[in-house]
Amino acid sequence: MTLIQAPTKSTTLEATLDSARRSIEVASNELAEARKRRDAISAALRKEFPGSRTYVNGSIAHGDALTPLTDVDQGVVIPDPDNIYGPGRFGPTRLEERAAEAIRVALKPDYGDLTVEVKGRKRSILIRFRDPVTPGQPDFTADVIVAIDNPGGQGLFIPRYTGWDRSHPEAHTRMVRQAVKDTDVMYARIVRLLKHWNRSNGKPLCSWNIKALALGCITSPVGLVEGLQLWFAYAADQLNDGETEDPARVAPHPIKLNNPRPEVVRQMRRALDTLLYAIKLADQGYEILALDQLADLFNDENMLPHPTRSAVMRQQADRIKDQGSNAGSSFGSPALIPSTNSLRERVGTRSWAV
């Protein structure tokens, strides 16, 4: 086994990341309102479809929502005792139209400017409440998935325009919640940071891809710095081999990337290089330079601002002085870092992700 450097002994990066992830957590008033609206949607769906069950999915259900909140996810599994819906039979349109009308009727008294969209949607009914939690700020929406059980296998049939796809969102939520429990909440905290990194760096992946990859490498309690190391290394290796398969082994196709796969892999490796260089600088005592690298990684001055330019220049001068005549050739370049394969060896990967 190839050994790699131990996680940084400096507490600066860990404390900075912890402060940053707190700043991007969904606000308590947004969270309370999201749950209220989600519960109202769930009640309307159960009333419209007796014997149905509802489930929650997405960032609120998984405990990794960012601020500002953009959407909430709600699903309903509708009984189909006569087996008239599903592939080769009726599509989801009738059920979606019934669900949409039930939601309009139930929520209109409280959200007078409510709109519910069905036509042309790939998977979900889109609800626009048009009632922002904070006046003057964008309001979040809701995505509602109408599903039926798959009588011939695991999971559900969920809409794909006028047809059906196989998926298992209920299992996904169980898997994520178990990971949160197994890691003493660190899974959710690391995922939140990664989702923000993704959002501020061109969104190369969808949020579910981030979480699916994290299920394979964030499997025990770890710090934020180490967790980010593990994820970037693991994600780069996995995506280099191919797109991410469904962790529940139900969806027939892997999770699609938003950019070409080689480009995404290069972005993962660059991010890992930046993070490891920040760790090296912190371990050498150049914490301002380390924070400057960390700010480069997240690319968001509101979430994690760069140190002042003057402070960075002073510490650059100190480092050059400390390194003597060799400083000019070494500073400014990423440090020698362990390979992503060696980082991968540190974690017991989930069998589904191997």
Side-chain angles (χ1 to χ4, degrees):
M1 175 187 290
T2 303
L3 298 178
I4 69 167
Q5 64 184 43
T8 177
K9 297 177 181 178
S10 171
T11 61
T12 301
L13 295 187
E14 192 73 18
T16 300
L17 284 174
D18 192 52
S19 177
R21 67 98 187 158
R22 290 176 187 273
S23 74
I24 59 175
E25 287 180 353
V26 63
S28 59
N29 58 335
E30 275 189 303
L31 186 59
E33 181 62 22
R35 288 171 172 163
K36 175 186 173 184
R37 296 181 190 184
R38 191 180 63 186
D39 290 347
I41 294 168
S42 180
L45 293 170
R46 289 196 303 270
K47 182 178 180 181
E48 176 64 21
F49 301 105
S52 65
R53 70 181 186 274
T54 55
Y55 65 87
V56 292
N57 200 21
S59 62
I60 296 293
H62 297 167
D64 52 52
L66 297 171
T67 189
L69 184 65
T70 57
D71 57 31
V72 295
D73 297 277
Q74 176 72 60
V76 58
V77 184
I78 299 169
D80 183 24
D82 297 324
N83 202 28
I84 63 173
Y85 292 98
R89 296 182 290 277
F90 283 116
T93 303
R94 295 180 184 180
L95 298 177
E96 289 181 314
E97 290 175 346
R98 283 180 59 189
E101 183 59 22
I103 292 167
R104 287 191 193 99
V105 170
L107 274 66
K108 200 75 172 177
D110 292 325
Y111 307 96
D113 203 20
L114 179 89
T115 64
V116 185
E117 301 173 19
V118 177
K119 188 176 180 180
R121 301 282 300 169
K122 180 179 179 180
R123 296 208 186 278
S124 64
I125 301 165
L126 175 64
I127 303 172
R128 301 183 189 275
F129 299 95
R130 304 183 191 276
D131 186 15
V133 177
T134 303
Q137 296 297 315
D139 194 14
F140 58 84
T141 60
D143 290 312
V144 177
I145 294 226
V146 169
I148 58 173
D149 280 308
N150 177 5
Q154 292 186 333
L156 307 173
F157 287 121
I158 66 172
R160 179 182 174 83
Y161 296 112
T162 58
W164 299 96
D165 260 351
R166 291 176 58 210
S167 187
H168 206 337
E170 293 170 302
H172 295 162
T173 294
R174 288 195 297 269
M175 294 171 79
V176 169
R177 287 178 168 174
Q178 187 61 50
V180 172
K181 181 179 179 181
D182 290 344
T183 61
D184 292 343
V185 191
M186 294 309 296
Y187 173 94
R189 293 177 178 178
I190 293 162
V191 163
R192 180 178 283 113
L193 286 171
L194 289 165
K195 285 171 60 178
H196 190 81
W197 169 85
N198 187 61
R199 184 166 70 177
S200 62
N201 286 277
K203 290 188 176 180
L205 305 88
C206 70
S207 293
W208 174 234
N209 204 344
I210 292 170
K211 291 188 240 192
L213 288 164
L215 286 172
C217 61
I218 310 299
T219 59
S220 60
V222 293
L224 298 173
V225 175
E226 185 177 7
L228 292 177
Q229 286 184 71
L230 294 173
W231 188 88
F232 281 119
Y234 181 78
D237 271 357
Q238 291 293 305
L239 293 175
N240 189 57
D241 291 340
E243 293 176 328
T244 310
E245 298 293 337
D246 174 18
R249 297 185 179 276
V250 170
H253 305 293
I255 304 169
K256 294 297 181 183
L257 296 166
N258 295 331
N259 293 326
R261 186 163 56 86
E263 179 182 321
V264 176
V265 172
R266 286 193 294 270
Q267 192 170 0
M268 301 293 104
R269 297 201 193 282
R270 286 195 300 268
L272 178 60
D273 287 353
T274 300
L275 178 61
L276 290 173
Y277 190 39
I279 292 168
K280 178 178 180 180
L281 289 167
D283 281 345
Q284 291 176 340
Y286 303 108
E287 294 183 338
I288 291 173
L289 300 183
L291 294 177
D292 197 47
Q293 290 292 308
L294 204 60
D296 281 349
L297 176 67
F298 282 96
N299 194 31
D300 181 356
E301 291 297 307
N302 293 319
M303 175 259 203
L304 205 164
H306 284 82
T308 64
R309 204 62 224 149
S310 59
V312 171
M313 292 178 67
R314 284 194 299 271
Q315 195 152 91
Q316 284 177 339
D318 290 342
R319 187 168 187 256
I320 291 171
K321 182 179 178 181
D322 292 342
Q323 291 187 331
S325 59
N326 294 326
S329 61
S330 61
F331 182 70
S333 302
L336 292 176
I337 61 173
S339 68
T340 55
N341 285 335
S342 64
L343 277 169
R344 186 177 177 181
E345 290 174 5
R346 294 202 58 201
V347 298
T349 56
R350 300 293 194 196
S351 59
W352 62 264
V354 173

